[in-house]
Amino acid sequence: MDIAANKNSKKVALLGSTGSIGTQSLEVCEKHGFEITALAANSSTELLEEQARKFNPEYVCIYREDKYRELTDRLSDTGIKVLCGMEGLCSIAAMEQNDIVLNSVVGMVGLLPTLTAIEAGKDVALANKETLVAGGELVMSAAKEKGVRIYPIDSEHSAIFQCLQGNKREQVSRILLTASGGPFFGYTYDQLRSVTKAQALKHPNWEMGSKITIDSATLMNKGLEFIEAKWLFDLDPSQIEIIVHRQSVIHSAVEYNDYSVIAQLGVPDMKIPIQYALLYPDRLECPTRRLSLTDYGTLTFAKPDIETFRCLGAAIEAIDRGGAYPCLVNSANEEAVRAFLNDEIEFIRIGEIVSSVLDNFGSSEIKDYSDVMKADSAAREYVRNAVSG
Ligand code: MN3
C-alpha cells in the first residue's frame, strides 16, 4: 500500500455489499486500503460470508431475517457480530466508527438507513436511488441541518458533481443528463409489446442488477435519475435536459450561464464514480481501463422518446407535480418490475401501470418518513390489484 492511499484511508460501512455496486465498491476499498467497519446484504449469505472473511468487519447484517441463523452459523468461528433486518441496517448506518456510509441497497429499503446515517452525522456515498426519489426533500433538508455530505455514486450524478467542482453553483444554467437509451432504443410502442424478459435483461453498456437493468430498458431509470438530480443539485426540473447518448462515454454535463458546457467522460465502469465518492476530492489510479476516444470514433446524441417510454414521462410529470407523486411512481414501478420479473405481466404493462398512478392518486404531502411509507404501501397495493385484476 502506498502512502497516498494511506492518507486517504477511510472507515466505510457498506450496505448492499453483495450487489453489483457493492462488489465493485469492495474492489475500490481494497485497492486504496480502506477499512470496512460493516457489511450488509439482502440475502446472499455465501458471498457475504466470503466478503466478511476477507475484509473482517466488526459487524455484518443480513436483511432477510430468515437467513440470520444461517449467517450466524457460517461466521461462528469468527469474532464478527451478526445483525439482521432493518434494525441491523440502521444500527450499522449509525455506527460511531464510520467515516462514510456507502448505501447501495436496492429499493425503498435504502431510505431509512440513509436517514439514520445522516441523523448520526455520517457522510453518505449514495447509490440507492429510492433514497432521493421517494424522500428527496426529507433527505436533503436533514443533510443540510446535520452538515452531512451526500456523494453521488451513480455515474451521471457523479459526472455532474465533478463538473460542478471549481465553479459557482449559482452560475449553472442547465444540466445535461445523459441516457444510454437502453436495449429498446428506437422501438415503437407497438414493438415494445413483444419484448421478452431475456431481451429486457440485456443492457448494451452496463453490467447491473436485474431491477436497474429493467429500469434501464423502460427508461424509468432515467426518470429516477432526473428526480435525484433535482434534489442533489437543487435544480428546477426545467433545468434538466435528458440526452440519449448510446455509447455511455459522456456521463453527463453542466451548462453554465456563459453557455460553456463542461462534461465528464470515461469508460462505462462504476468503479470510477464509486472511487470519486470515496476519495473526494482526490483522484488516484482506479482499477479500471483508460478511455480511448479513437476506439469509439463517433459519439451520438438524440432526444428521448417519452411517449413510447411512458415510465420516463411519468417520472418527469411526478417531480413536476411534487408532493408524494415521485414516491408513488417509484413504488409502483418497483412493484411492477417485480411482477414483470415474476412473469406476471408483459414488459409494456410496466409503463402503463406506472403512468396510470398519476391519474389515480390525488396530491398529498411528504412531511416525514411515515408519509413516505404510506404513499409507498398505497402505490404497491394499487399495482398488486392492477396486476391480479
Ligand atoms: Mn446511472
Side-chain angles (χ1 to χ4, degrees), residues 129 154-157 212 221-222 225 270:
K129 301 199 175 207
D154 205 346
S155 60
E156 295 80 359
H157 305 96
I212 184 173
N221 182 53
K222 209 50 54 180
E225 290 179 356
M270 289 307 295

Side-chain angles (χ1 to χ4, degrees), residues 72-245:
T72 311
D73 288 346
R74 282 178 180 273
L75 293 171
S76 58
D77 62 321
T78 69
I80 300 167
K81 298 181 206 69
V82 181
L83 306 173
C84 68
M86 182 56 87
E87 213 182 310
L89 277 183
C90 289
S91 38
I92 280 176
M95 290 196 311
E96 186 54 44
Q97 55 269 48
N98 300 336
D99 289 321
I100 190 162
V101 177
L102 195 161
N103 185 351
S104 60
V105 163
V106 178
M108 276 293 288
V109 171
L111 174 58
L112 194 56
T114 303
L115 285 169
T116 309
I118 293 170
E119 205 50 49
K122 301 298 172 187
D123 286 344
V124 178
L126 191 60
N128 172 259
K129 301 199 175 207
E130 291 73 10
T131 288
L132 287 172
V133 172
E137 203 159 2
L138 295 178
V139 169
M140 294 316 286
S141 64
K144 199 170 171 189
E145 195 187 308
K146 290 281 172 181
V148 158
R149 297 204 68 158
I150 311 249
Y151 297 104
I153 282 187
D154 205 346
S155 60
E156 295 80 359
H157 305 96
S158 174
I160 295 164
F161 181 57
Q162 294 183 53
C163 296
L164 289 170
Q165 301 304 313
N167 292 290
K168 291 190 175 147
R169 178 58 197 77
E170 64 274 19
Q171 292 171 357
V172 167
S173 61
R174 278 194 314 161
I175 297 295
L176 310 181
L177 185 71
T178 54
S180 74
F184 308 130
F185 174 70
Y187 278 41
T188 63
Y189 199 69
D190 241 17
Q191 284 175 304
L192 283 186
R193 289 183 197 283
S194 49
V195 152
T196 66
K197 190 159 89 176
Q199 288 173 315
L201 281 170
K202 207 167 157 31
H203 193 273
N205 302 337
W206 299 92
E207 286 280 341
M208 303 173 293
S210 56
K211 162 71 167 54
I212 184 173
T213 304
I214 299 304
D215 285 350
S216 298
T218 62
L219 298 201
M220 184 62 177
N221 182 53
K222 209 50 54 180
L224 300 179
E225 290 179 356
F226 185 102
I227 297 170
E228 286 180 277
K230 182 247 172 315
W231 292 117
L232 271 173
F233 306 111
D234 192 21
L235 300 160
D236 187 86
S238 65
Q239 290 177 286
I240 308 171
E241 184 184 357
I242 296 172
I243 294 171
V244 176
H245 164 48

Side-chain angles (χ1 to χ4, degrees), residues 319-340:
I319 190 66
D320 266 332
R321 290 193 195 177
Y325 283 111
C327 177
L328 290 166
V329 294
N330 173 63
S331 299
N333 177 63
E334 253 185 69
E335 209 56 40
V337 170
R338 188 199 318 248
F340 172 67

